[in-house]
C-alpha cells in the first residue's frame, strides 16, 4: 500500500512541469538583470541603533508637543453636543458641533478644529471650579491644532484637570454606557497618576473587625479597589487585614511588597471580594507590621512610601507606634479613610493622618469613594510641584476600550506621554497645588513601522519592552481573546514579560541586558512556532538591542541566520518598474509603509500602491517614501513579470491547464505578490486566501506569510504541501496546498528565492484524491480492512484519509530515533481556574489521539471562582527528519500492540503512514494537569530598572492641610496666570 499510494505523488509530471516552467521563466528574466544585482550583509548593530534613533526622534516630537501644551491655557460638553430636548432646542452645554469621519483617527467622527470637554457623571458639570477651569483652558485648543499641524502623526491630545474635567482634541461625541452614565474619570487613568506622582510603595491596611459589617465593608472593599486602580507597574503594594490579629490577604506575599502590575492588582481584587468581618479591631499591631514591611523592603520603588488605613474607628493608644517607627523624619505618609456615617472616632483617625504628613477623609457612601481616594495623589505630588519638576512619563502599553466605544480604537495598543501642570505662585508654593496633567497618545503600531519588515528578513522582527521587562510590542504578544464574536483584552494583556515571549532566553540574559538599558548582541538557538502555533521551526537567531533615550523603553531586533543575514538589492529603471508594477495580477503589502500617507490629510485615502505610483510618476513629489523599499519592489516587479504572461497563456489555452489548479501566486521580500485565479473557479476560493481576514497568509506588520516562512526553511528542490486549518470547516470542498519549486544551486541564486518563488496552488479535495489514489491504489486501500492509511505532512497533520473528518487534524506519532522533538511552550494561555493557579498542561502523545486540540484561550466570564486566569501551557509538536526515507515500529496500547510504517513521498514534505486498525490507542492517555508551587511563582521578582526621577520629600512642604477642613483653592485669575506664564524652560 505504501508503494502504490506514494507513487502518484512522485510521478505527478504535470504538476512538476508546471513549476519547472515557472522557475525557468523567472530564472531567465533574472539573468537579464543579474549585472545590476548585489548582495549586502545586514549589520544588526547598526540597524538597531538607527531604528532606535528614528523612534527616539518620533517620540521626542510627542514629548515636545506635550511641553508646548502647558504654556497657555465655548464649553462643549462631549456628551451633550448635537443633542436636543423634546422641543428641538439644543441642550445646555451642547449645541451644534461638526463631526466628520477621519482616517487618521480610526474613521471616528471628529472635529479637528475644536476640542471639547468630558465631565464624569458624578461630577457636577456646572461646578464653579469646572466652569472656571474649562474657560481658562480654552486657549489649549489653538495649541493642540498647531501641534497637529506640525506633527500630523499625533493622535489624541488632552488635558486632565485635577477638578475632574477632561479636554480632548480632536473633539468627539462621547458615548455613555448602557445606563447613560459616563464613568470615565481622567484622574483614574495611568498617564494622569504616573505624571502626578513619583513611584510609590503602598501598604493598604483594612479593618475587618465585627463593626465593619454590611455597607461599611462594601465601602471598604470599593475603597481598596479604587486605591489599587491608582497604582501602576512602577509601584509596589501589599494588603493587610486586621481585627484581633493581623493577616495578609495573600499569604504568599507575607512580609514583602509586590509589583502593582495589572495581574497582581486583579488578584488582590479577587481576594478582597472574599474577606469577612469578625472580632475586635486592634490597629496597633497592623501599623507595626506595615512599618516593618516598608522599613525592610529591598525590592520596591524605593521612593514614596505610604500606609492607607481604612477603618470605622481607632480606639486604642497608638501614638507610640509612630514615635518608634516614623518620627521625627515622618518618612512614611499615612492616609486614613474613616468609613461609615458615624464620626465618633473621627478625631483619632484624623490625628493619625495629620501627624504623619498624610491626609484624612470621611467616606460615608459609595459615591464618596472616588473623590476621597484621589486626594492622596495631590498630597504625594507636593514635593514635585514645589520643586517645579516637569517630569515626563511614558505609560505601559494599553488598550483604551473605555475612552472610545468602538472596536477599532479599543483594539489598538498604545502608550501615552504625559507631564504635570501646577501652580507656581509664591503664595501657594508650599501647598504644592497640582492643576492637572497634559498628554498625548502614541499608537505602537505606528512606532513599529519605523522598523520595516523587509529590512529584517523572513523570520526577523523588532520588539519593544519597558523598564520593568513588560512587552510594549512583539509579534508573539497575544493580548486578545475571543468571547462569542467579540475580541476582548486578556486580564493581564499589558503585563506580559519578555521572558514569556522569548522563552528560549532561559537564563534571561537578553531580558536583563535590555531592562538595564544596555546596548549589545546575543545569539540563541530557538524553536519558533508558525501557523498559529501548530508548527515549529528550528532557527539560529541573532538579537541586537539598545535603549531609546529619554524613555523607559528598550528596542530589540532579531535577524535569523541564513536569509536574515543578507539583503538582496537590485536596480531597474523607474519606467520599467512602473510598467510591471501596474500589472493586474500584482499587489503590495497594504500594512507596510512604502510611502507615508499619514502626514498630509490629502494622502490618507490613498492605498500604498496608489501612493507609490503617484510618487514615482511625479504627481505627488512631496510624499515621503522609502527609497530602498521602492527599489526592491520595482526590481521584483520586473523580474517576476514573466509570470503574468505565462499565467495568461494558460488562461487562454484551457486545454493546457489541469482542472485541479485553482489559484497560483508568488511573493517577494519586498511585500509584492502576484496571483492568478483560473477561469471556472468561484471567487470565494481566491478570497479565502487573498483577503485580510486570513492574516497568517498575508504580509503584515508582524510577520511574513506562513507559507513564505515555511518554504524559506525547506530544502531546495522539493515541494512543500501545506493545508491551513482555517480552510477546513465542516464540509468545505476546497483544500489548498502550498508548494515550493526547485531553484538553482549557483553561488548567488540560492538567496534569491527568499524574495520570491513561493508558488501556491489550490486543489479541490476530490481532484487531489484522484491524483494520489490513481493506479488502482484506491482499490488496494479498500481491500485492506485491517489497516488505516494516511498521507500526513512533515509536522504530522493529515492531508488525506479515508475518514474525511480526519483531514487537517493532528496525528501525534510515536517518538523514536527518526523523529525530532519539537516541544513548544506558551506563557500567554488562559483557562478557567477555580483557584488562582497557573496550570501547566502536558499532552501525552499517542498514535491516534486526533483530532487533538489544546485550548489556548477560553471564555472570560468573570464569575467568582470561575474566572479567566493566565496559565503556562506545554505541548508537543512533530518534525520528521528528512534524511530518513522509511521507518517502522510497534506501539503498545494496553493489552494490544500495533505496527506502523512511515515512508517519505519523494520530492515532498509528505509521508505515507500505514497503521494497524484493530488496536485502539486513542483512549490510553489523558492530558495531565500539574500545579506548580504557587507561592514560588507569585513571589518571584524579576530584575527591573527603577525610574530615575523620585520626589518623595521637600522641606518647604506645608503638611498642615491634611483633610477634614476647608481646602485651599485657586481663583480663576490665579489659574489663568499659572497656565499662561508657567516658565517651563527656566
Amino acid at each position: 500500500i505504501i508503494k502504490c499510494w506514494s507513487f502518484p505523488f512522485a510521478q505527478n509530471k504535470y504538476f512538476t512541469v508546471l513549476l519547472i516552467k515557472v522557475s525557468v521563466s523567472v530564472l531567465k528574466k533574472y539573468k537579464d538583470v543579474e549585472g545590476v544585482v548585489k548582495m549586502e550583509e545586514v549589520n544588526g548593530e547598526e540597524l538597531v541603533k538607527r531604528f532606535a534613533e528614528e523612534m527616539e526622534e518620533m517620540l521626542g516630537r510627542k514629548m515636545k508637543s506635550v511641553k508646548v501644551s502647558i504654556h497657555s491655557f465655548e464649553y462643549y460638553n462631549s456628551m451633550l453636543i448635537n443633542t436636543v430636548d423634546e422641543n428641538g432646542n439644543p441642550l445646555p452645554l451642547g449645541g451644534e458641533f461638526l463631526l466628520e469621519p477621519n482616517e487618521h483617527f480610526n474613521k471616528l467622527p471628529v472635529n479637528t478644529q475644536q476640542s471639547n470637554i468630558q465631565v464624569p457623571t458624578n461630577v457636577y458639570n456646572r461646578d464653579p471650579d469646572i466652569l472656571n477651569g474649562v474657560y481658562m483652558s480654552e486657549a489649549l485648543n489653538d495649541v493642540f491644532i498647531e501641534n497637529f499641524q506640525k506633527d500630523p502623526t499625533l493622535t489624541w491630545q488632552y488635558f486632565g484637570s485635577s477638578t475632574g474635567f477632561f479636554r480632548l482634541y480632536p473633539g468627539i461625541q462621547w458615548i455613555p454606557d448602557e445606563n447613560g452614565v459616563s464613568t470615565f474619570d481622567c484622574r483614574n487613568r495611568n498617564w494622569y497618576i504616573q505624571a502626578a506622582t513619583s513611584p510609590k510603595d503602598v501598604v493598604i491596611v483594612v479593618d475587618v473587625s465585627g463593626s465593619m459589617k454590611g455597607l461599611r465593608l462594601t465601602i471598604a472593599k470599593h475603597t481598596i479597589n479604587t486605591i489599587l486602580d491608582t497604582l501602576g507597574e512602577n509601584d509596589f503594594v501589599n494588603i493587610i487585614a486586621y481585627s484581633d490579629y493581623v493577616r495578609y490577604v495573600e499569604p504568599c506575599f507575607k512580609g514583602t511588597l509586590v509589583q502593582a502590575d495589572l495581574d497582581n492588582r486583579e488578584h488582590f481584587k479577587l481576594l478582597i471580594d472574599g474577606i469577612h468581618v469578625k472580632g475586635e479591631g486592634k490597629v496597633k499591631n497592623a501599623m507595626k507590621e506595615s512599618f516593618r514591611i516598608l522599613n525592610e523592603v529591598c525590592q520596591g520603588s524605593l521612593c514614596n512610601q505610604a500606609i492607607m488605613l481604612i477603618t470605622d474607628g481607632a480606639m486604642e493608644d497608638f501614638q507610640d507606634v509612630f514615635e518608634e517607627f516614623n518620627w521625627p523624619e515622618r518618612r512614611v505618609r499615612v492616609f486614613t479613610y474613616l468609613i461609615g456615617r458615624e464620626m465618633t472616632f473621627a478625631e483619632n483617625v484624623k490625628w493619625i493622618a495629620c501627624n504623619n504628613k498624610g491626609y484624612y477623609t470621611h467616606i460615608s457612601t459609595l459615591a464618596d469613594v472616588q473623590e476621597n481616594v484621589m486626594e492622596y495623589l495631590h498630597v504625594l505630588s507636593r514635593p514635585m510641584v514645589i520643586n517645579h519638576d516637569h517630569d515626563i512619563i511614558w505609560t505601559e502599553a494599553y488598550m483604551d476600550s473605555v475612552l472610545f466605544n468602538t472596536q477599532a480604537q479599543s483594539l489598538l495598543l498604545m502608550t501615552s506621554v504625559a507631564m504635570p501642570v501646577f501652580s507656581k505662585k509664591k503664595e501657594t508654593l508650599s501647598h504644592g497645588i497640582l492643576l492637572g496633567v497634559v498628554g498625548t497618545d502614541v499608537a505602537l503600531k505606528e512606532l513599529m513601522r519605523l522598523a520595516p519588515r523587509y529590512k529584517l528578513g523572513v523570520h526577523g522582527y523588532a520588539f519593544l519592552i519597558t523598564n520593568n521587562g513588560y512587552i510594549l510590542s512583539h509579534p508573539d504578544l497575544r493580548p486578545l481573546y475571543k468571547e462569542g464574536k467579540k475580541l476582548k483584552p486578556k486580564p493581564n494583556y499589558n503585563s506580559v514579560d519578555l521572558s514569556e515571549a522569548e522563552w528560549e532566553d532561559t537564563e534571561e540574559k537578553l531580558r536583563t541586558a535590555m531592562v538595564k538599558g544596555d546596548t549589545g548582541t546575543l545569539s540563541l538557538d530557538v524553536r519558533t512556532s508558525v501557523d498559529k502555533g501548530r508548527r515549529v521551526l528550528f532557527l539560529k537567531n541573532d538579537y541586537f538591542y539598545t535603549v531609546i533615550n529619554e524613555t523607559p523603553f528598550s528596542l530589540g531586533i532579531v535577524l535569523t541566520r541564513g536569509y536574515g543575514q543578507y539583503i538582496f538589492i537590485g536596480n531597474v529603471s523607474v519606467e520599467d518598474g512602473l510598467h510591471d508594477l501596474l500589472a493586474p495580477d500584482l499587489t503590495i503589502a497594504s500594512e507596510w509603509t512604502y510611502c507615508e500617507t499619514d502626514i498630509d490629510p490629502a494622502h490618507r485615502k490613498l492605498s500604498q500602491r496608489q501612493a507609490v505610483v503617484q510618487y514615482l510618476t511625479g504627481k505627488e513629489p512631496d510624499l515621503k517614501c522609502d527609497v530602498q523599499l521602492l527599489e526592491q519592489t520595482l526590481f521584483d516587479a520586473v523580474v517576476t513579470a514573466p509570470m503574468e504572461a505565462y499565467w495568461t497563456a494558460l488562461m487562454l489555452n484551457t486545454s493546457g491547464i489541469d482542472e485541479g489548479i485553482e489559484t497560483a501566486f508568488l511573493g517577494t521580500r519586498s511585500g509584492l505578490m502576484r496571483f492568478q485565479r483560473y477561469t471556472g473557479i468561484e471567487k470565494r476560493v481566491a478570497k479565502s486566501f487573498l483577503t485580510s481576514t486570513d492574516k497568517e497568509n498575508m504580509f503584515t506588520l508582524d510577520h511574513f506569510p506562513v507559507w513564505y516562512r515555511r518554504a524559506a526553511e525547506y530544502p531546495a528542490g522539493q515541494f512543500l504541501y501545506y493545508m491551513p486549518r482555517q480552510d477546513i470547516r465542516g464540509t468545505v470542498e476546497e483544500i489548498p496546498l502550498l508548494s515550493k519549486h526547485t531553484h538553482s544551486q549557483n553561488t548567488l541564486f540560492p538567496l534569491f528565492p527568499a524574495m520570491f518563488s513561493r508558488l501556491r496552488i489550490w486543489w479541490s479535495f476530490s481532484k487531489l484524491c484522484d491524483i494520489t489514489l490513481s493506479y488502482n491504489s484506491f482499490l488496494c486501500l479498500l481491500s485492506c480492512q485491517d489497516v488505516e492509511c494516511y498521507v500526513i505532512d512533515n509536522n504530522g497533520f493529515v492531508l488525506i484519509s479515508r475518514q474525511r473528518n480526519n483531514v487537517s487534524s493532528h496525528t501525534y506519532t510515536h517518538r523514536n530515533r527518526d523523529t525530532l522533538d519539537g516541544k513548544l511552550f506558551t506563557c500567554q494561555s488562559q483557562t478557567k481556574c477555580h483557584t488562582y493557579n497557573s496550570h501547566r498542561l502536558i499532552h501525552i502523545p499517542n498514535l491516534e489521539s486526533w483530532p487533538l486540540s489544546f485550548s489556548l484561550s477560553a471564555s472570560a466570564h468573570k464569575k467568582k471562582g470561575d474566572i479567566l486566569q493566565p496559565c503556562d501551557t506545554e505541548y508537543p509538536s512533530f518534525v520528521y527528519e528528512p534524511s530518513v526515507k522509511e521507518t517502522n515500529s510497534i506501539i503498545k496500547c494496553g493489552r494490544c500492540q500495533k505496527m506502523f510504517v512511515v515512508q517519505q513521498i519523494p520530492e515532498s514534505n509528505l509521508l505515507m503512514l500505514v497503521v494497524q486498525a484493530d488496536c485502539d490507542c486513542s483512549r490510553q492517555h489523558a492530558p495531565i494537569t500539574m500545579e506548580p508551587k504557587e507561592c514560588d511563582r507569585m513571589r518571584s521578582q524579576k530584575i527591573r530598572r527603577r525610574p530615575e526621577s523620585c520626589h518623595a520629600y521637600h522641606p518647604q512642604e506645608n503638611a498642615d492641610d491634611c483633610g477634614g477642613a476647608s481646602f485651599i483653592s485657586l481663583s480663576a485669575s490665579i489659574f489663568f496666570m499659572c497656565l499662561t506664564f508657567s516658565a517651563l524652560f527656566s
Side-chain angles (χ1 to χ4, degrees):
I1 296 177
I2 284 276
K3 299 297 183 184
C4 68
W5 203 1
S6 61
F7 178 75
F9 271 93
Q11 300 299 320
N12 185 5
K13 295 181 179 179
Y14 172 79
F15 188 66
T16 306
V17 170
L18 171 69
L19 296 187
I20 289 176
K21 285 183 178 179
V22 171
S23 178
V24 170
S25 60
V26 174
L27 258 175
K28 183 176 183 299
K29 187 65 178 181
Y30 165 74
K31 291 295 184 181
D32 294 340
V33 295
E34 187 174 9
V36 295
V37 174
K38 60 179 180 178
M39 187 73 60
E40 291 185 357
E41 186 170 358
V42 178
N43 187 323
E45 295 181 13
E46 180 181 319
L47 199 61
V48 73
K49 289 179 181 178
R50 185 163 73 248
F51 287 165
E53 289 171 357
E54 292 174 355
M55 290 182 179
E56 181 181 330
E57 180 183 355
M58 177 183 178
L59 297 178
R61 293 198 303 268
K62 315 305 178 187
M63 289 188 284
K64 185 176 180 180
S65 68
V66 170
K67 291 177 181 178
V68 171
S69 298
I70 75 164
H71 275 291
S72 55
F73 248 86
E74 205 152 296
Y75 178 13
Y76 283 103
N77 189 307
S78 59
M79 287 187 64
L80 302 175
I81 58 174
N82 300 331
T83 56
V84 295
D85 59 21
E86 57 186 12
N87 297 320
N89 299 316
L91 294 176
L93 302 181
E96 184 178 353
F97 194 82
L98 181 64
L99 296 172
E100 295 179 344
N102 190 299
E103 293 281 339
H104 183 66
F105 294 93
N106 299 294
K107 299 181 181 179
L108 281 173
V110 300
N111 186 327
T112 55
Q113 299 303 312
Q114 185 72 49
S115 61
N116 59 6
I117 302 296
Q118 180 268 345
V119 181
T121 301
N122 65 326
V123 177
Y124 180 44
N125 59 19
R126 287 189 179 275
D127 183 280
D129 288 340
I130 297 292
L131 293 176
N132 289 333
V134 169
Y135 176 73
M136 295 307 174
S137 66
E138 186 179 358
L140 268 179
N141 190 69
D142 293 334
V143 177
F144 288 152
I145 294 174
E146 184 179 356
N147 285 341
F148 189 50
Q149 290 173 345
K150 290 180 178 178
D151 182 5
T153 65
L154 280 173
T155 54
W156 307 99
Q157 301 176 71
Y158 38 81
F159 170 74
S161 168
S162 60
T163 59
F165 76 82
F166 181 60
R167 182 176 286 277
L168 177 68
Y169 173 87
I172 65 166
Q173 174 90 45
W174 201 278
I175 308 297
D177 62 20
E178 61 272 11
N179 299 315
V181 175
S182 176
T183 58
F184 175 86
D185 190 326
C186 62
R187 297 169 296 178
N188 290 349
R189 308 303 287 177
N190 211 355
W191 52 267
Y192 184 100
I193 295 165
Q194 286 190 39
T197 62
S198 296
K200 43 199 173 291
D201 297 327
V202 175
V203 178
I204 302 174
V205 180
V206 58
D207 184 350
V208 292
S209 62
S211 61
M212 286 285 289
K213 62 184 177 181
L215 180 60
R216 291 183 181 182
L217 182 60
T218 302
I219 295 174
K221 290 179 178 179
H222 186 39
T223 301
I224 295 173
N225 289 339
T226 305
I227 293 172
L228 289 172
D229 286 338
T230 66
L231 305 179
E233 62 181 30
N234 287 319
D235 304 319
F236 286 74
V237 66
N238 207 335
I239 303 179
I240 292 175
Y242 74 92
S243 54
D244 300 302
Y245 64 98
V246 176
R247 66 181 179 87
Y248 288 83
V249 296
E250 174 50 81
C252 289
F253 296 159
K254 183 177 181 179
T256 189
L257 293 171
V258 295
Q259 197 168 11
D261 56 32
L262 184 61
D263 209 6
N264 284 333
R265 297 199 308 267
E266 291 301 314
H267 178 45
F268 274 128
K269 288 180 182 180
L270 178 65
L271 296 174
I272 288 298
D273 189 50
I275 62 175
H276 302 285
V277 297
K278 185 180 180 181
E280 181 182 353
K282 296 183 179 180
V283 70
K284 191 172 182 178
N285 290 335
M287 297 305 292
K288 284 184 178 180
E289 183 66 15
S290 301
F291 280 116
R292 188 182 70 80
I293 296 173
L294 294 172
N295 288 336
E296 296 179 4
V297 65
C298 58
Q299 269 193 316
S301 72
L302 304 185
C303 188
N304 282 300
Q305 292 192 321
I307 296 173
M308 309 293 196
L309 175 61
I310 303 168
T311 180
D312 64 346
M315 295 177 288
E316 60 184 316
D317 181 17
F318 40 73
Q319 181 172 335
D320 60 326
V321 176
F322 302 109
E323 290 177 347
E324 178 182 356
F325 291 98
N326 206 36
W327 294 355
E329 294 87 357
R330 291 174 170 79
R331 181 175 51 84
V332 178
R333 298 178 188 268
V334 183
F335 298 89
T336 57
Y337 303 90
L338 182 64
I339 305 299
R341 298 187 181 278
E342 299 292 332
M343 299 187 65
T344 308
F345 303 101
E347 289 303 315
N348 288 353
V349 177
K350 181 179 178 181
W351 183 92
I352 293 174
C354 292
N355 284 276
N356 291 279
K357 296 176 66 177
Y359 200 86
Y360 155 80
T361 59
H362 177 219
I363 305 177
S364 58
T365 67
L366 284 171
D368 297 335
V369 172
Q370 184 67 51
E371 286 293 321
N372 286 312
V373 166
M374 299 307 296
E375 294 294 348
Y376 96 86
L377 295 175
H378 300 147
V379 175
L380 291 185
S381 70
R382 287 175 185 168
M384 176 181 61
V385 174
I386 297 171
N387 272 329
H388 294 180
D389 288 314
H390 291 276
D391 292 335
I392 290 181
I393 63 93
W394 290 89
T395 68
E396 69 272 22
Y398 68 95
M399 295 179 183
D400 208 333
S401 56
V402 176
L403 184 55
F404 305 112
N405 192 20
T406 67
Q407 180 167 321
Q409 182 68 18
S410 66
L411 302 186
L412 184 64
L413 272 173
M414 60 182 68
T415 181
S416 293
V417 56
M419 188 167 60
V421 181
F422 40 73
S423 167
K424 292 191 175 181
K425 297 295 292 182
K426 291 183 179 179
E427 57 266 34
T428 61
L429 180 63
S430 63
H431 295 280
I433 298 175
L434 178 73
L435 301 180
V437 172
V438 65
T440 186
D441 292 338
V442 180
L444 291 170
K445 181 178 180 181
E446 298 305 316
L447 187 62
M448 297 311 293
R449 289 184 186 275
L450 299 177
R453 298 293 315 168
Y454 79 94
K455 291 187 178 181
L456 301 174
V458 58
H459 302 299
Y461 55 89
F463 59 95
L464 286 168
I465 67 170
T466 69
N467 58 301
N468 291 293
Y470 294 146
I471 293 173
L472 274 175
S473 180
H474 193 290
D476 288 335
L477 178 64
R478 301 188 300 276
L480 304 172
Y481 72 95
K482 199 166 186 178
E483 185 179 85
K485 294 183 178 180
K486 293 184 178 180
L487 289 172
K488 292 187 176 182
K490 294 178 181 177
N492 63 331
Y493 75 94
N494 64 350
S495 56
V496 176
D497 195 85
L498 179 64
S499 61
E500 298 178 52
E502 298 291 345
W503 56 271
E504 298 277 11
D505 181 29
T506 53
E507 298 179 3
E508 297 193 358
K509 292 182 179 179
L510 174 66
R511 183 193 182 280
T512 300
M514 293 187 68
V515 165
K516 289 182 176 180
D518 295 342
T519 296
T521 182
L522 178 72
S523 297
L524 290 174
D525 291 309
V526 303
R527 289 162 288 178
T528 185
S529 65
V530 295
D531 195 13
K532 299 180 180 178
R534 300 166 71 223
R535 303 174 188 276
V536 61
L537 296 176
F538 295 83
L539 305 172
K540 179 78 170 181
N541 283 348
D542 292 321
Y543 293 80
F544 304 88
Y545 49 86
T546 190
V547 69
I548 300 179
N549 294 324
E550 297 188 57
T551 76
F553 309 145
S554 290
L555 169 69
I557 66 169
V558 176
L559 300 177
T560 302
R561 300 281 177 90
Y563 289 131
Q565 290 179 282
Y566 303 92
I567 191 166
F568 196 85
I569 298 176
N571 190 15
V572 296
S573 70
V574 172
E575 182 179 0
D576 290 343
L578 262 177
H579 175 270
D580 293 324
L581 190 67
L582 294 174
D585 69 329
L586 186 146
T587 63
I588 57 176
S590 60
E591 292 189 8
W592 291 16
T593 304
Y594 298 82
C595 292
E596 182 58 69
T597 58
D598 208 28
I599 296 177
D600 188 336
H603 297 152
R604 287 178 185 149
K605 293 185 178 180
L606 294 175
S607 68
Q608 281 297 310
R609 188 159 107 163
Q610 289 171 336
V612 169
V613 173
Q614 294 280 312
Y615 174 75
L616 293 176
T617 56
K619 294 180 180 179
E620 294 288 350
D622 295 332
L623 273 168
K624 184 180 178 181
C625 298
D626 188 326
V627 175
Q628 185 179 23
L629 179 56
L630 291 188
E631 287 180 353
Q632 288 195 32
T633 306
L634 294 180
F635 177 81
D636 290 351
V638 170
V639 175
T640 61
M643 294 301 303
E644 181 192 8
Y646 180 73
W647 285 338
T648 302
L650 288 178
M651 289 283 291
L652 296 175
N653 182 14
T654 55
S655 62
I657 181 69
D658 188 284
E659 63 182 22
I661 297 177
E662 297 174 356
T663 303
F665 63 86
L666 61 82
T668 79
R669 179 166 173 163
S670 65
L672 177 147
M673 282 186 60
R674 288 185 181 273
F675 67 94
Q676 179 66 57
R677 183 169 50 83
Y678 290 95
T679 56
I681 305 300
E682 297 181 14
K683 292 183 179 180
R684 64 182 175 87
V685 175
K687 284 186 176 181
S688 65
F689 166 71
L690 295 171
T691 65
S692 59
T693 56
D694 182 9
K695 290 289 187 179
E696 283 287 297
N697 285 318
M698 303 294 291
F699 290 91
T700 71
L701 284 178
D702 291 334
H703 59 242
F704 278 71
V706 62
W707 45 270
Y708 196 114
R709 297 186 67 187
R710 290 195 66 207
E713 297 302 315
Y714 202 65
Q718 296 191 25
F719 297 108
L720 178 69
Y721 295 86
Y722 162 58
M723 183 183 302
R725 174 184 292 241
Q726 60 267 27
D727 293 310
I728 309 299
R729 297 190 183 101
T731 58
V732 176
E733 292 300 322
E734 291 76 29
I735 293 185
L737 295 178
L738 166 70
S739 69
K740 169 180 182 267
H741 69 69
T742 183
H743 53 265
S744 170
Q745 295 298 314
N746 61 48
T747 57
L748 182 62
F749 196 64
L751 290 170
F752 190 51
M755 280 151 282
F756 60 82
S757 71
R758 313 291 173 221
L759 182 66
R760 174 175 173 137
I761 303 209
W762 293 68
W763 297 76
S764 68
F765 180 77
S766 59
K767 184 62 182 178
L768 188 60
C769 287
D770 288 343
I771 294 174
T772 58
L773 302 181
S774 57
Y775 306 97
N776 297 321
S777 59
F778 187 62
L779 295 176
C780 174
L781 175 63
L782 292 178
S783 65
C784 303
Q785 297 298 320
D786 57 344
V787 299
E788 295 286 353
C789 303
Y790 312 97
V791 172
I792 64 175
D793 65 17
N794 58 314
N795 293 126
F797 289 93
V798 179
L799 268 71
I800 299 177
S801 168
R802 184 163 51 183
Q803 288 77 31
R804 175 62 188 273
N805 62 349
N806 294 335
V807 174
S808 192
S809 58
H810 200 293
T811 300
Y812 280 117
T813 309
H814 177 63
R815 301 248 177 94
N816 53 50
R817 62 182 177 82
D818 304 314
T819 64
L820 183 60
D821 185 0
K823 189 177 293 183
L824 293 172
F825 296 87
T826 177
C827 304
Q828 299 176 61
S829 302
Q830 296 186 137
T831 185
K832 282 188 175 181
C833 308
H834 292 281
T835 57
Y836 189 83
N837 288 333
S838 176
H839 291 79
R840 183 171 297 277
L841 308 179
I842 303 177
H843 296 278
I844 298 179
N846 56 74
L847 184 64
E848 290 190 66
S849 60
W850 46 272
L852 174 62
S853 63
F854 33 89
S855 179
L856 298 185
S857 62
S859 183
H861 301 290
K862 290 193 174 181
K863 298 178 182 178
K864 183 178 179 180
D866 189 26
I867 68 171
L868 204 64
Q869 299 289 359
C871 60
D872 299 340
T873 302
E874 174 186 315
Y875 54 95
S877 62
F878 171 85
V879 180
Y880 194 83
E881 172 54 53
S883 63
V884 179
K885 303 304 179 184
E886 183 175 338
T887 187
N888 62 80
S889 186
I890 295 176
I891 302 175
K892 293 184 179 180
C893 300
R895 296 181 179 180
C896 66
Q897 62 182 20
K898 66 193 321 178
M899 177 179 289
F900 73 87
V901 180
V902 178
Q903 185 189 69
Q904 275 193 8
I905 296 176
E907 299 181 359
S908 77
N909 67 317
L910 301 181
L911 305 167
M912 181 65 193
L913 170 65
V914 178
V915 298
Q916 287 179 258
D918 56 353
C919 181
D920 185 8
C921 293
S922 61
R923 299 182 181 179
Q924 297 301 314
H925 302 286
I928 295 177
T929 300
M930 299 177 62
E931 295 187 7
K933 293 182 179 180
E934 188 62 16
C935 281
D936 291 344
R937 185 195 71 82
M938 299 180 71
R939 290 175 62 97
S940 64
Q941 302 277 357
K942 292 181 178 293
I943 293 176
R944 59 185 294 272
R945 184 170 84 250
R946 285 193 294 271
E948 296 179 359
S949 177
C950 175
H951 305 284
Y953 169 79
H954 199 285
Q956 298 180 24
E957 178 185 347
N958 179 2
D960 294 338
D961 180 15
C962 56
S966 59
F967 186 76
I968 188 168
S969 61
L970 282 181
S971 67
S973 59
I974 294 177
F975 186 85
F976 177 75
M977 292 171 65
C978 290
L979 289 171
T980 305
F981 301 108
S982 177
L984 173 62
F985 303 108
S986 58

